[in-house]
């Protein structure tokens, strides 16, 4: 069966520091991968999605970036965090059709 | 373009009351899929149901039921005899083959004892 992992589970970082969140999927090949952000009390915002290694599409311009160095690994990064980057970050995967997405446990990021 | 609207931002009920969460969607495709997810305080999204556009049959699962009506582009979710453990944020979502999944803004349900 497929599983999706995210780490760290929680993170507290000062403004201006770098960020690296990791997501890995097991039990499937060639998944579509997604990064979402949920600000406090808000809905889900799609940040990035990837249909293959090295292929990244950005939905929202911001100081975040994503990379997919391996088929089942998706990384969310920032060179300098802003206060507004605080939130709950969810990684998800789907098969090639993208019909249904399966979510990881999330990372709660607090920028101080 | 896809759009999902959950007009109810917050709902508060007393335990054992029935509650309906509304979801209205927009899409130009004839083939699409609708979902409900539950997000408890822990944050993880819990899948509740998926319906495809060709199946308007309503579904009941224990205290949960879903009413899919293409004529009004709605996919409403009812919890019967609510319990405190039902307190969570509930998201409605729409996806199309080869497209993105779009989420509504979510409805925060609080069930008081």
């Amino acid at each position: 069966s497929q599983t999706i992992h995210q780490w760290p589970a929680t993170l507290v970082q000062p403004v201006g520091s770098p960020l690296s969140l990791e997501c890995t999927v097991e039990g499937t090949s060639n998944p579509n991968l997604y990064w979402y952000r949920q600000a406090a009390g808000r809905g889900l915002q799609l940040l990035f999605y990837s249909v293959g290694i090295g292929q990244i599409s950005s939905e929202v311009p911001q100081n975040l970036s994503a990379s997919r160095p391996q088929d089942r690994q998706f990384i969310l990064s920032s060179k300098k965090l802003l206060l507004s980057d605080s939130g709950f970050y969810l990684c998800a995967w789907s098969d090639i059709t993208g019909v249904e997405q399966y979510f990881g446990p999330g990372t709660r990021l607090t920028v101080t | 373009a896809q759009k999902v609207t959950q007009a109810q931002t917050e709902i508060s009920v007393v335990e054992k009351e029935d509650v309906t969460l509304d979801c209205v969607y927009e899409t130009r495709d004839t083939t699409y899929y609708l979902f409900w997810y539950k997000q408890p305080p822990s944050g993880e999204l819990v899948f509740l149901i998926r319906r495809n556009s060709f199946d308007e049959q309503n579904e009941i699962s224990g205290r949960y039921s879903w009413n899919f009506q293409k004529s009004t582009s709605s996919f409403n979710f009812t919890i019967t005899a609510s319990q405190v453990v039902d307190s969570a944020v509930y998201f409605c979502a729409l996806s199309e083959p080869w497209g993105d999944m779009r989420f509504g803004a979510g409805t925060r349900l609080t069930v008081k004892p």
Side-chain angles (χ1 to χ4, degrees):
Chain A
S1 64
Q2 300 88 5
T3 55
I4 178 168
H5 305 279
Q6 284 186 247
W7 64 89
T10 60
L11 190 60
V12 180
Q13 292 282 95
V15 168
S17 63
L19 173 74
S20 181
L21 303 181
E22 190 164 342
C23 170
T24 59
V25 181
E26 296 176 355
T28 186
S29 297
N30 303 315
N32 289 351
L33 296 171
Y34 309 84
W35 277 113
Y36 289 86
R37 176 170 62 198
Q38 184 180 25
R42 306 289 293 278
L44 290 160
Q45 179 186 38
L46 178 64
L47 301 175
F48 300 95
Y49 68 94
S50 171
V51 298
I53 295 174
Q55 300 178 61
I56 309 293
S57 296
S58 175
E59 288 287 304
V60 182
Q62 59 218 324
N63 71 318
L64 298 172
S65 62
S67 62
R68 185 169 176 175
Q70 300 180 42
D71 181 47
R72 290 170 288 179
Q73 183 185 32
F74 205 23
I75 297 172
L76 183 69
S77 304
S78 174
K79 292 182 179 178
K80 289 185 177 182
L81 283 169
L82 306 173
L83 286 174
S84 57
D85 291 325
S86 292
F88 190 59
Y89 289 81
L90 284 158
C91 181
W93 75 273
S94 73
D95 65 16
I96 192 171
T97 67
V99 164
E100 185 168 344
Q101 295 181 17
Y102 305 89
F103 289 84
T107 295
R108 197 166 301 278
L109 171 66
T110 303
V111 182
T112 59
Chain B
Q2 301 167 288
K3 185 178 178 181
V4 178
T5 302
Q6 293 179 256
Q8 304 150 307
T9 305
E10 295 191 29
I11 300 176
S12 181
V13 299
V14 177
E15 205 169 21
K16 297 184 182 178
E17 286 185 19
D18 298 347
V19 58
T20 295
L21 309 181
D22 298 333
C23 174
V24 175
Y25 62 92
E26 293 177 29
T27 178
R28 284 179 277 189
D29 279 3
T30 56
T31 301
Y32 53 89
Y33 302 83
L34 295 164
F35 302 82
W36 276 97
Y37 288 88
K38 174 182 179 180
Q39 187 180 41
S42 62
E44 187 168 355
L45 281 176
V46 178
F47 168 83
L48 295 178
I49 190 172
R50 160 183 159 172
R51 303 297 289 178
N52 71 55
S53 53
F54 299 107
D55 184 3
E56 280 193 81
Q57 190 172 19
N58 293 327
E59 184 160 336
I60 297 175
S61 176
R63 295 184 297 106
Y64 295 171
S65 62
W66 290 269
N67 184 357
F68 178 23
Q69 290 195 344
K70 290 177 74 171
S71 60
T72 55
S73 297
S74 64
F75 186 43
N76 297 337
F77 172 30
T78 298
I79 302 175
T80 303
S82 60
Q83 300 176 1
V84 173
V85 294
D86 296 327
S87 296
V89 180
Y90 291 86
F91 290 97
C92 181
L94 166 72
S95 75
E96 299 160 357
W98 315 101
D100 295 334
M101 177 177 277
R102 297 293 176 179
F103 286 83
T107 297
R108 181 177 299 278
L109 173 65
T110 302
V111 182
K112 299 177 181 177

